[in-house]
Amino acid sequence: MAPPTNCVTAGHSRQLVRALCSGFMGETPQEAVAQLYRNHYSELVAPLIRILGSFDLAEEVVQDAFAQAIATWQSQGIPPSPIAWLRRTARNRAIDQYRRQSSWQSKREELARDAAESFSESPTNQEVHDDALRLIFTCCHPSLAPAAQIALTLRTVCGFTTDEAARAMLLQPTTLQQRIVRAKRKIDVAKIPFLVPDLDVLPSRLGTVLKAIYLVFTEGYGATQGDALIRQELCEEAIRLARLLATLLPNQSSPRAILALMLLHHSRRNARTDADGDLITLEHQDRSTWDTALITEALPIVEQCLVTPPVSHYAIEAAIAALHASAPTAGDTDWPQITALYGFLLERAGGNPVIELNAAVALAMTGRLQEGLDRLDTLESSHALPNYHLLPAARGDLLARLERWQEAKVAFAAALETVTNDVETRYLERRHREVSQNITTIEETL
């Protein structure tokens, strides 16, 4: 395949496109491509994997299409239907790939026509949904190692960069990339089919799929990098996939539980930042701006999942979110009940360090600040969450509540060393300044 215009190699085009991904939708081609890449990567890649039978070839075709968009739109302007333009460009490149990959000379034109017909520029919503489900179940095929399943899903379903996927899985980027390469090779060698499994097989494949969907949501809820805290398109994509699974498996409570959990978190999206885009913590959010429609939809689902065995850990997490959503004010939050629910979660999760962190904070919020801090200190000593800025940030907050200003300053400084999101960085800088000012005030009074 010839390199895209203004790009040295396909690898260079891939780096160029990803380098723009911290941008936002605006008037320039670069900003448009960055936003389109984030919002529509999976729906472009999925049908191409089906057509070409290769993750690597499909991703190369899509990367080339985005790179061509940057080059073409600079001189010709952004087209009225940029997604259709990308689909057409990717389809044409896919046809070229299809012709080159075919070993039957006489069949090339027929296969090319099939490829063109299989990848519409204007697919129906059902076609997009079907390809998304095929993609995620292929990524989570049981012949792949569980960690590789999730890594491939994050990379392919929502177009995470290696760094984003690595952070979501608490891994080094090189380790994450090796898992993705091995997973793709296994799919190619084993000829894993690109389809949604039969209903009798679906439940056994569900756990990893749900974990992958929730990781997609988690990245959308608290973006790894960039100047925005929330990547709403990822949150909505994860919610959409959960709705599809809940429809496919009406007798399974886990898809409904994770759907309710995500709806409750997503209901707070408008309250999580102020007019300047700065972070507002749960304790200080304007609850009148929470999306009551999502909360109203989610609460009955939570109740149902809690009385339908087996009760999944997603149902318990949804129950915690429901207690937050049901509290009229932050002061009305039932922290003892939340602490008890975290205890149940820890029994099921086998010492998950992120749950340990949240459980410690919940314990502190019941008024047992020192006990909560002690648990955070133990977690920090275990090195179970390396480079995870929320741990020192939580320590800083509890230390500040205990008016141990100097220690809080050190903790917030440690959090600032590892945070990568601009919104969270500004919040931590503000907290660091506040505790520093308290130290200065105290010193001036001595």
Side-chain angles (χ1 to χ4, degrees), residues 146-209:
Q149 295 174 13
I150 295 170
L152 188 59
T153 299
L154 293 178
R155 175 67 194 94
T156 310
V157 171
C158 62
F160 279 24
T161 65
T162 299
D163 286 345
E164 288 172 337
R167 180 179 181 273
M169 296 184 68
L170 304 179
L171 295 172
Q172 292 298 318
T174 53
T175 302
L176 188 283
Q177 184 59 31
Q178 289 169 358
R179 290 183 179 178
I180 291 174
V181 170
R182 286 196 294 268
K184 289 179 179 178
R185 185 182 302 122
K186 180 66 177 289
I187 289 173
D188 287 341
V189 172
K191 300 188 183 303
I192 292 174
F194 188 73
L195 50 78
V196 178
D198 294 336
L199 287 177
D200 58 342
V201 180
L202 269 175
S204 65
R205 306 256 308 265
L206 191 58
T208 304
V209 170

Side-chain angles (χ1 to χ4, degrees), residues 18 25 61 133 151 209 231 258 264-265 318 346:
R18 290 182 186 174
M25 192 64 172
V61 165
L133 282 177
V209 170
R231 291 176 58 183
I258 200 172
L264 289 167
H265 284 319
L346 287 172

